[in-house]
Amino acid sequence: MDAELRQIDALNRAPSPHTGRRGGGPAGPDGTAPTDPALLGTAPNGTAAWGTAPGTANLRRSREAFLLDAGRALAEAGTTAEVLRVVASLSMPGFAPDGMAVFGVDGSTLSMVGQHGYGNIEESAFTMPVETDYPAATVVRTGRALYLSSPEEYSTRYPTTWHLASGFDRRSWAFLPLVTAGRTTGAWLAAFRTPVRFTPDERAVLSTVARMLAHALERAHTNEAERALSRGLRRIMDTGVPTAEGISVATRYVPTGGGLMVGGDWYDIIDLPGGRLALVISDVQGHDVHAAGLMAQLRTAVHAYATEGHRPDAVLARTSRFLAALDDDRFATCIYIESDPATGTLSIARAGHPHPVLRLPDGTCMIRHVDGGLPLGLAPEGEDYPVTTMELQPGEIMLLCTDGLIETGGHDMYTGWVRVRDALSPGPTDDLEGMADRLIDAVHGPSSHSGPGHLADRREDDIALLLLRRDAVGQSQAVPDRRLVLTVGQDQADRIAGARAELRAIMHDWAVPDQVDATVLLATELLTNVLVHTDQAAALVATMSGQVGSRRLRLEVSDGSDELAHRRSPGEMASSGRGLILLELLSDRWGMEPRGEGKSIWFDLDEQQEQAG
């Protein structure tokens, strides 16, 4: 649009071919330019085609206003049909065409895309080889405009195709090339019932309109291609609802905006033998057609490996090698979950993807830290993808999403998670579809406009999300309000920090903050004790039950070692030996129990109302 405005300004400042002055011919007695039919064209009644109004200043203003209005209207047209409607409504000052047609080129064939002012003509009659002796075909071949001021000139120069124009009572024709990025993509015909000489000024106006029309058609074509691709992506990912009883799933896919800026986000739900389900979400690097193509191939590969019966870690390892063979310049993040609806067991493998979010039945949300490896395609030969096993309780919901849901709209990872939490927490757990809608509205809906980022940022990345809820089947037993289960292996000491964060998450509304600190300290002590004094993994289970204000938290850490812990009296400089002393001081009750294999140490905390200072 700015380029067109500069062209308009240059046109207005150009010297008149008749006077050498900028802006027109010599001034008359009243200070205005005389109306010169040779310069302006002639209207049917013999008056100046620009009207009887005063001089070049008015002509310049009329021309400028027309071109500005035409540019705005064409810039707002989003489809080819809308562009053609705008072109049909154009009214050029003084020599407005009453017949228009737009031609497009497909390979070596010229065809009419749309027309106005020719009634119900057979557009197929204007489908012809580009080599045909027809004005629009000549323009496409040469890239130069063609002006025919009279029927005699038309019939003389194009005798073989004159019959295509002779029956429409037109007196002058202008055929102009539609050029985009140096490539001629079609031609525009403007036809006139009144003879037009096509002066330099008139040709300049027509050329400017043709350039704006070419750009508008290119934008419309791009928009339509994007919408077609987006519809295709939606159809690809429309996998329907899972067939397994006890599991409910809601999914959403929102493509990015702007031209062909499609991304590589995708999800899939795969039926596995034995009533199990695989749930996958992934994000291929990039926002272009190549990313979308890789996405489709990657989705097919994961589906194939899953249905072959491979475990989650094997599925990701094979997919990583597959992606590296396809394109060694791109990578993809991914989470793969194998779910057993009968027991609620989830086996999770992660490849550089954002952690899942767990929503408890009372609305508490927490990031569920799971082990993971590098994104797919980065280390195809040796990367390991550890599997995390957890049990989803009835009424609990797990959210899987791509980073478009988190960081879009000017958010970073922290503030983006806060936005996700605020949209995920409210509402009943039985409205899974409504929950998915709230999450999308938090990014693209009206409420998102008051947060960080500009409106344009809302379409900077595509979004894929998947909500998984375990449903109670039959007569289910009472479920604790909140429960945390995780395992820390001997080589996973860094997971203790994640365990502390998740403990704080489930105790976020505990009445006494000091008790929360005590719980985190004791859990750290018990987990570290297992890693230091045994060669076993440590399993942590934290269960919170009861009414708010009088709840009870039981935390249990178990391992496979038969060696029991013993109370010691460490000296002042000792670095260990205080675990059982801390349990006795900070907990309300605690105990140690041998198991069939290994042992368990547990403690209880009773929620107390914080005393006023």
Side-chain angles (χ1 to χ4, degrees):
M1 186 64 184
D2 291 340
E4 302 299 342
L5 294 179
R6 289 195 295 271
Q7 292 163 357
I8 294 168
D9 184 63
L11 171 65
N12 292 335
R13 297 175 181 273
S16 167
H18 296 274
T19 66
R21 298 174 59 246
R22 293 185 184 273
D30 58 353
T32 61
T35 55
D36 180 357
L39 173 63
L40 304 178
T42 306
N45 59 5
T47 61
W50 290 95
T52 56
T56 33
N58 285 343
L59 298 181
R60 186 165 56 248
R61 283 194 293 270
S62 297
R63 187 187 308 125
E64 181 177 332
F66 160 72
L67 291 173
L68 288 172
D69 289 342
R72 278 192 289 266
L74 288 170
E76 293 172 0
T79 66
T80 300
E82 290 174 1
V83 172
L84 294 177
R85 282 197 295 270
V86 171
V87 174
S89 67
L90 293 179
S91 180
M92 301 179 191
F95 66 112
D98 59 355
M100 297 189 187
V102 174
F103 299 89
V105 181
D106 184 6
S108 60
T109 302
L110 179 76
S111 60
M112 183 178 288
V113 177
Q115 58 85 20
H116 172 72
Y118 287 94
N120 296 321
I121 65 169
E122 290 290 334
E123 294 186 0
S124 60
F126 292 86
T127 299
M128 62 191 73
V130 174
E131 298 302 321
T132 304
D133 189 27
Y134 179 67
T138 301
V139 167
V140 168
R141 291 196 307 269
T142 64
R144 294 193 296 269
L146 182 63
Y147 301 96
L148 303 171
S149 298
S150 66
E152 293 76 19
E153 184 179 3
Y154 196 134
S155 60
T156 300
R157 296 184 61 178
Y158 296 95
T160 58
T161 54
W162 163 241
H163 67 280
L164 295 175
S166 60
F168 295 106
D169 191 27
R170 299 301 196 277
R171 310 300 297 171
S172 297
W173 299 261
F175 292 86
L176 298 104
L178 300 176
V179 181
T180 304
R183 182 173 57 93
T184 302
T185 58
W188 173 48
L189 161 64
F192 305 81
R193 292 189 187 276
T194 302
V196 180
R197 295 191 179 187
F198 299 114
T199 66
D201 283 352
E202 292 164 349
R203 295 187 182 198
V205 171
L206 290 168
S207 297
T208 302
V209 173
R211 284 191 290 271
M212 292 190 293
L213 172 59
H215 294 158
L217 287 171
E218 182 69 16
R219 286 194 300 271
H221 174 73
T222 299
N223 291 338
E224 289 164 353
E226 176 203 355
R227 283 190 286 271
L229 184 55
S230 297
R231 287 192 296 269
L233 293 176
R234 288 175 185 272
R235 284 194 296 270
I236 287 174
M237 286 188 279
D238 186 15
T239 54
V241 296
T243 57
E245 185 181 21
I247 288 290
S248 295
V249 178
T251 58
R252 294 292 185 273
Y253 171 71
V254 181
T256 187
L260 278 174
M261 292 290 290
V262 293
D265 292 19
W266 61 276
Y267 62 82
D268 201 0
I269 304 169
I270 307 167
D271 286 312
L272 299 176
R276 294 170 297 121
L277 281 178
L279 303 108
V280 196
I281 195 160
S282 176
D283 184 359
V284 179
Q285 175 198 15
H287 299 94
D288 51 30
V289 176
H290 185 48
L294 285 177
M295 175 273 290
Q297 294 172 289
L298 206 63
R299 190 172 185 267
T300 302
V302 170
H303 204 112
Y305 294 139
T307 53
E308 284 180 356
H310 296 292
R311 293 285 296 163
D313 52 346
V315 170
L316 292 191
R318 284 167 166 77
T319 305
S320 182
R321 288 195 294 271
F322 176 80
L323 177 58
L326 279 179
D327 189 332
D328 57 7
D329 291 330
R330 300 281 182 122
F331 63 85
T333 64
C334 184
I335 283 186
Y336 181 96
I337 298 179
E338 185 179 297
S339 166
D340 184 352
T343 63
T345 302
L346 305 179
S347 299
I348 309 172
R350 185 175 67 89
H353 203 81
H355 293 279
V357 172
L358 186 65
R359 183 194 188 275
L360 304 181
D362 65 350
T364 297
C365 296
M366 51 192 288
I367 298 175
R368 186 64 170 86
H369 294 84
V370 297
D371 294 329
L374 292 173
L376 304 177
L378 289 185
E381 298 303 325
E383 181 61 18
D384 180 42
Y385 297 99
V387 176
T388 299
T389 302
M390 62 171 288
E391 184 178 334
L392 197 65
Q393 300 298 316
E396 292 183 344
I397 297 172
M398 177 167 282
L399 162 68
L400 307 176
C401 68
T402 55
D403 57 3
L405 185 71
I406 306 169
E407 297 182 310
T408 295
H411 286 272
D412 56 24
M413 189 62 73
Y414 174 76
T415 61
W417 278 129
V418 172
R419 178 175 62 183
V420 168
R421 179 202 65 194
D422 293 344
L424 192 62
S425 293
T429 59
D430 56 354
D431 186 14
L432 208 59
E433 294 293 332
M435 194 174 291
D437 289 337
R438 285 199 306 274
L439 286 163
I440 297 300
D441 287 342
V443 178
H444 293 303
S447 61
S448 71
H449 298 167
S450 60
H454 302 290
L455 296 185
D457 296 336
R458 316 283 164 190
R459 292 285 183 177
E460 66 189 9
D461 198 1
D462 44 350
I463 297 172
L465 73 85
L466 188 152
L467 292 172
L468 168 68
R469 182 187 66 213
R470 185 183 178 194
D471 301 323
V473 179
Q475 291 296 113
S476 62
Q477 60 183 6
V479 179
D481 289 336
R482 300 178 193 172
R483 195 161 186 252
L484 173 63
V485 180
L486 56 85
T487 302
V488 179
Q490 279 288 320
D491 58 346
Q492 299 172 330
D494 56 327
R495 293 202 64 199
I496 295 178
R500 289 196 292 262
E502 292 178 31
L503 271 174
R504 290 189 182 277
I506 67 169
M507 298 181 71
H508 70 95
D509 57 351
W510 194 268
V512 183
D514 287 346
Q515 288 188 301
V516 177
D517 294 336
T519 301
V520 170
L521 174 61
L522 293 177
T524 302
E525 180 69 27
L526 294 179
L527 290 172
T528 303
N529 185 69
V530 172
L531 299 187
V532 171
H533 297 291
T534 76
D535 58 357
Q536 305 291 318
L540 181 148
V541 178
T543 303
M544 186 189 299
S545 58
Q547 299 296 318
V548 175
S550 58
R551 292 172 291 190
R552 173 176 295 175
L553 175 79
R554 166 160 288 199
L555 189 145
E556 178 181 354
V557 174
S558 57
D559 62 78
S561 171
D562 293 329
E563 183 179 351
L564 299 180
H566 300 281
R567 183 192 296 271
R568 290 186 289 168
S569 300
E572 293 183 1
M573 304 300 293
S575 59
S576 62
R578 297 185 175 85
L580 299 184
I581 296 175
L582 290 174
L583 279 173
E584 188 167 326
L585 290 174
L586 300 178
S587 68
D588 292 303
R589 288 165 298 280
W590 70 277
M592 181 166 45
E593 302 172 358
R595 298 285 176 85
E597 290 184 1
K599 64 180 179 299
S600 168
I601 301 178
W602 59 268
F603 67 87
D604 290 341
L605 278 180
D606 297 328
E607 186 175 24
Q608 305 168 2
Q609 296 300 320
E610 190 168 16
Q611 300 296 321

